[in-house]
Amino acid sequence: MSTLSLTTSIVDATGRMLAKYTPREKINWGRLGVISVPSVWLFVFFFVPFLVVFKISFAESEIAIPPYSDLMNWDAEDTFLSIKLSLANYIFLFEDALYLDAYWSSVKIAGVATIITLIVAFPMAYLIARSEPNKRNLLLMLVVVPFWTSFLLRIYAWMGFLNKNGLINQGLMAIGIIDEPLIMMQTDFAVYIGIVYAYLPLMILPLYTALEKMDMTLIEAASDLGATPTQSFIKITLPLAVPGIIAGCMLVFIPAVGEFVIPSLLGGSDTLMIGRVLWDEFFQNRDWPMAAAVATVMLVMLLLPIMLVSDGQDKKEEA
Amino acid sequence: MKKTSKFLTSSSILGFLFLYAPIVSLIVYSFNSSKLVTIWGGWSIKWYGKLFENEQIIEAAMLSFKIAFITSCLAVILGTMAGFVLARMGRFKGKMILSGWISAPLVMPEVITGLSLLLLFVALENTFGWPAGRGTNTIIIAHTTFCLAYVAVIVQSRLSMLDETLEEAAMDLGAKPSSLFFLVTMPLIAPALVSGWLLSFTLSLDDLVIASFVSGPGSSTLPMVIYSKVRMGVTPEINALATLMILIVALGVVAAMVIMKRQHRLNKELKE
C-alpha cells in the first residue's frame, strides 16, 4: 500500500513538475530552501544513521577506538581494495537462544501490555468523548498532564509504590487481604504495569479523537431498532473506533518492544527484553557491531508497524 | 445528557486513580522525614534542602536545562518548516518520504535512535573530523532530531485546521512569501509554536536513553544522574527532585491549556 502510493505520488509529482517548470520559469529558491532545510536535517540525522548501523553490523568487534573493524581496506602498494563483511554477528544472533528469546519475549510483553492498555483506555476515552464540553476539557487535561511529566520519574514513582514495603502492600495488609507483603517489584508483572501506565495517555488520545467524531444518533437508532447495548457496541462503536484503536496500539506497541527504562527499573534480572539486551551489548560488553546487528533486526521487525503509522498519518493528512 | 453507565464511570475512576496514585504517593513521600523511604517518620522538607546542596544534581540540571532550551528553539524552527512544507506546499517530489521521516521518530524505540546516532557521529568524526568528541553538541543534535518531528506534527495539524483564506487574501494584496509567513501565518499558528516549544523542552529534559548513547565523558544530563541513583532503589532526595519537576510541569501544562483555551475563545469571538 505504502510503496504503491509512494510510486504514484512520485509519478504524479514528476508530471506536475514537468508541467509547471517550463524552461522560462525561474526556480523558486525560497520554496526550495524551506523544503530542503528540514529534509536535509532528517536525511543526515535520521535516515543516514540507519545505513551506518547496517554497515557496522557487518564489522567485527575490536579493542580499538572506535571498537570495530573497518569494512574496507585500501592497500595502496598493491592497489588492492578489499571489503570484509562479517556475518558472524547475525549468525550468532540466530544461533544463540538469548537473542531470539529476547525478541520473542519483547514482542509478547509489548503485545500483551498493548492489549491491556487498550482495555483500560477504552472506557476512559469513551467517557471523555461523551461528557459535556467543560468536563471534557478537564478530563483531557488530567490525561495529558502525566504524558508531559517525566517518563523516567513516572516509572520511578512505581518503584516506591510496588515495593515490598510500599503503599500497595501496606494498604492490602492494613485491610487484611494479605498477611505477607506481595513481591511485585522486579517481576514481569511490574513491567506490564509500567508499560500500561507509561503509555496509557498515548492510547487514550487517539481513541478519544475517533470516538468524539462518532454520531450518537447511530446508537439511538440501533436501540430503537431493538439492539442491546452490547450489540450496538460491537456493531457500531467498535468499528467506528478502529482507526483510533490501530493508531493507539501502534503508538504503544512499537516503542514498548524496544523499551529499556521500564524493564531495567521495574523488571527482574530474568525479564528479557531486546532493548535491554542491546543496551548491555553496547554499554557492558562494548560490542558495538553486535549491538548494531541487534538494532538492525529489531528495525526490520518493526518496519511494517512503523509504515502503518506513516500511512495513517498520510491518510489523515489527505482527509 | 444521557446518564452514563455505572460501569463506564467506575472503570474511568479506577483508570484515573491508576494514573495519579503513584505520583501522589511519590509527592507525599518526598515530605517524609525518615531516611527509610518506606516508613513514615513525620512531615519534613529536609530532603529539598539536601537536594539543593547536591552539586552533582544541580550541575546536571543546569546542563539539561541548557540542552533543552537550545534543542527546543532549533526544533521549533526546523519543525515549523517541516510542518509548513507538509501542510501548505502542495505535492512535491519526496513529500511522502519526508512525511515518513517525520512520523517514524515518534514511535522509533529510543535504543535504536540512540545507537544509530552515536554510530553516525563516530563515523562522521572519523571521516570529516566533526563533531570532535561527543557531549553537549551531539546531545542537542540528537534531541533536535526527534523533537522536530513532534513540532512538525503539531504545526501541520494546526495549519490544516486553519482555513487558507487569510493567507490567500494577504497574497492577493501583494505580500511577499516571507512577510506572508511572518506577519500572517506565524501569528495564526503561535499556540502551536508555543506548545511545540514546550513539548520539545520537556522531552529533551526527560530523555535518558538517547542522551546516554550520544553523550561523552563529563556531560551527564539530569536523567542520567537520576538513573544512576535510582537503579539501586528509591531515595528521598530523588523523591524531592521528582516532586519539584512534576509540579513545575503540571503547573506549566495547566497554564498553557488555560491560555490556549482563552485564545481559542478569542478566535471564536473574532470570527463571530
Side-chain angles (χ1 to χ4, degrees):
Chain A
M1 179 62 217
S2 183
T3 3
L4 185 72
S5 52
L6 185 74
T7 335
T8 36
S9 85
I10 288 174
V11 171
D12 191 358
T14 326
R16 274 158 193 260
M17 292 263 291
L18 289 175
K20 201 172 170 189
Y21 291 124
T22 47
R24 271 181 298 127
E25 213 166 337
K26 268 195 290 178
I27 298 173
N28 186 340
W29 291 107
R31 180 185 153 96
L32 198 67
V34 175
I35 294 178
S36 52
V37 169
S39 306
V40 167
W41 180 286
L42 285 166
F43 175 75
V44 174
F45 295 117
F46 185 71
F47 181 68
V48 174
F50 296 129
L51 302 180
V52 180
V53 168
F54 190 60
K55 183 195 133 194
I56 288 170
S57 70
F58 292 105
E60 283 174 305
S61 179
E62 269 180 3
I63 300 174
I65 296 171
Y68 52 83
S69 63
D70 277 330
L71 295 188
M72 270 192 276
N73 256 315
W74 173 243
D75 191 336
E77 226 165 82
D78 298 336
T79 56
F80 191 76
L81 176 74
S82 57
I83 299 176
K84 212 166 103 184
L85 295 180
S86 160
L87 293 176
N89 296 319
Y90 288 100
I91 293 171
F92 191 60
L93 201 148
F94 286 106
E95 275 180 353
D96 192 320
L98 167 83
Y99 300 102
L100 291 183
D101 283 356
Y103 282 116
W104 168 236
S105 104
S106 307
V107 169
K108 198 185 70 187
I109 291 177
V112 173
T114 303
I115 293 168
I116 302 173
T117 314
L118 178 62
I119 294 170
V120 175
F122 206 99
M124 296 173 82
Y126 192 87
L127 183 92
I128 297 173
R130 292 281 81 87
S131 52
E132 297 154 59
N134 272 335
K135 208 171 137 202
R136 187 189 298 176
N137 281 336
L138 178 74
L139 291 176
L140 269 181
M141 195 159 80
L142 283 175
V143 172
V144 173
V145 167
F147 173 69
W148 283 69
T149 41
S150 167
F151 183 87
L152 179 62
L153 292 174
R154 277 186 296 145
I155 297 305
Y156 168 75
W158 278 97
M159 290 174 73
F161 208 52
L162 290 174
N163 220 320
K164 207 172 141 201
N165 304 313
L167 266 186
I168 292 185
N169 272 322
Q170 282 183 19
L172 288 178
M173 292 211 295
I175 45 177
I177 294 179
I178 50 170
D179 301 322
E180 297 250 317
L182 298 169
I183 305 290
M184 292 178 287
M185 265 300 285
Q186 292 174 343
T187 60
D188 285 3
F189 171 74
V191 175
Y192 284 116
I193 292 267
I195 295 177
V196 174
Y197 180 71
Y199 292 102
L200 188 60
L202 286 177
M203 182 70 90
I204 295 180
L205 294 177
L207 282 180
Y208 161 78
T209 319
L211 290 171
E212 193 220 0
K213 281 184 278 188
M214 200 175 98
D215 188 353
M216 276 316 273
T217 51
L218 288 175
I219 302 276
E220 280 165 30
S223 82
D224 287 347
L225 294 171
T228 63
T230 326
Q231 275 174 330
S232 59
F233 177 77
I234 291 173
K235 292 248 157 97
I236 297 170
T237 314
L238 217 49
L240 285 173
V242 162
I245 294 176
I246 294 175
C249 287
M250 290 303 122
L251 289 180
V252 175
F253 177 76
I254 302 168
V257 169
E259 188 51 60
F260 165 75
V261 175
I262 296 172
S264 113
L265 287 183
L266 298 179
S269 49
D270 56 339
T271 309
L272 209 49
M273 283 191 80
I274 198 65
R276 211 172 164 191
V277 171
L278 192 156
W279 179 282
D280 288 343
E281 214 58 79
F282 182 85
F283 287 100
Q284 248 103 64
N285 305 343
R286 292 194 53 80
D287 190 340
W288 292 17
M290 194 66 215
V294 171
T296 305
V297 174
M298 195 193 325
L299 194 63
V300 169
M301 227 168 67
L302 293 177
L303 211 55
L304 201 72
I306 289 174
M307 274 163 76
L308 210 65
V309 172
S310 307
D311 231 40
Q313 196 78 32
D314 291 334
K315 285 215 189 84
K316 212 164 65 188
E317 198 186 301
E318 268 155 35
Chain B
M1 188 73 209
K2 236 185 79 183
K3 225 183 85 200
T4 35
S5 76
K6 269 203 187 110
F7 165 76
L8 211 56
T9 320
S10 49
S11 55
S12 294
I13 289 174
L14 278 179
F16 281 110
L17 263 180
F18 174 67
L19 271 180
Y20 281 92
I23 297 178
V24 172
S25 119
L26 182 132
I27 292 174
V28 170
Y29 271 94
S30 77
F31 295 104
N32 181 4
S33 71
S34 162
K35 194 172 171 56
L36 298 163
V37 279
T38 50
I39 292 162
W40 187 252
W43 296 88
S44 150
I45 52 163
K46 72 174 172 194
W47 301 114
Y48 289 86
K50 282 259 165 60
L51 181 68
F52 287 105
E53 286 164 18
N54 190 327
E55 271 177 35
Q56 192 197 7
I57 287 182
I58 300 295
E59 223 172 82
M62 296 311 281
L63 178 69
S64 277
F65 277 116
K66 186 178 133 194
I67 290 173
F69 183 81
I70 301 174
T71 293
S72 33
C73 294
L74 282 173
V76 165
I77 296 170
L78 292 166
T80 306
M81 287 170 104
F84 187 80
V85 165
L86 290 180
R88 282 288 189 270
M89 290 211 160
R91 281 169 176 265
F92 58 89
K93 231 190 220 172
K95 183 178 179 182
M96 297 293 274
I97 297 171
L98 182 65
S99 99
W101 285 349
I102 281 169
S103 48
L106 306 179
V107 289
M108 190 61 68
E110 290 169 310
V111 282
I112 298 183
T113 313
L115 178 73
S116 61
L117 273 165
L118 169 81
L119 294 180
L120 174 84
F121 290 138
V122 171
L124 283 177
E125 192 184 359
N126 284 345
T127 323
F128 304 108
W130 178 91
R134 291 177 298 282
T136 315
N137 291 339
T138 46
I139 301 177
I140 289 172
I141 292 175
H143 283 182
T144 302
T145 306
F146 75 84
C147 289
L148 91 82
Y150 282 90
V151 176
V153 170
I154 295 174
V155 167
Q156 187 193 353
S157 73
R158 172 80 190 170
L159 276 172
S160 58
M161 275 193 298
L162 286 176
D163 78 70
E164 282 178 69
T165 47
L166 275 173
E167 287 155 278
E168 278 162 13
M171 243 181 330
D172 289 346
L173 294 171
K176 278 188 301 182
S178 56
S179 45
L180 169 71
F181 180 78
F182 286 108
L183 295 177
V184 180
T185 314
M186 212 163 94
L188 287 172
I189 57 170
L193 300 187
V194 172
S195 46
W197 194 93
L198 288 172
L199 185 60
S200 302
F201 193 87
T202 57
L203 286 170
S204 165
L205 198 63
D206 187 31
D207 168 63
L208 164 72
V209 175
I210 295 172
S212 298
F213 276 100
V214 299
S215 83
S219 50
S220 290
T221 61
L222 189 58
M224 288 159 75
V225 172
I226 294 175
Y227 177 71
S228 69
K229 284 191 187 300
V230 303
R231 260 170 69 185
M232 300 304 144
V234 179
T235 70
E237 262 179 316
I238 300 294
N239 282 348
L241 176 66
T243 302
L244 284 180
M245 287 179 70
I246 288 170
L247 286 183
I248 291 170
V249 169
L251 283 178
V253 175
V254 172
M257 286 190 117
V258 169
I259 291 170
M260 270 164 75
K261 217 179 138 191
R262 193 170 297 165
Q263 183 86 22
H264 191 68
R265 212 179 301 148
L266 233 96
N267 281 350
K268 247 189 192 164
E269 278 164 20
L270 267 177
K271 266 186 193 166
E272 280 158 15

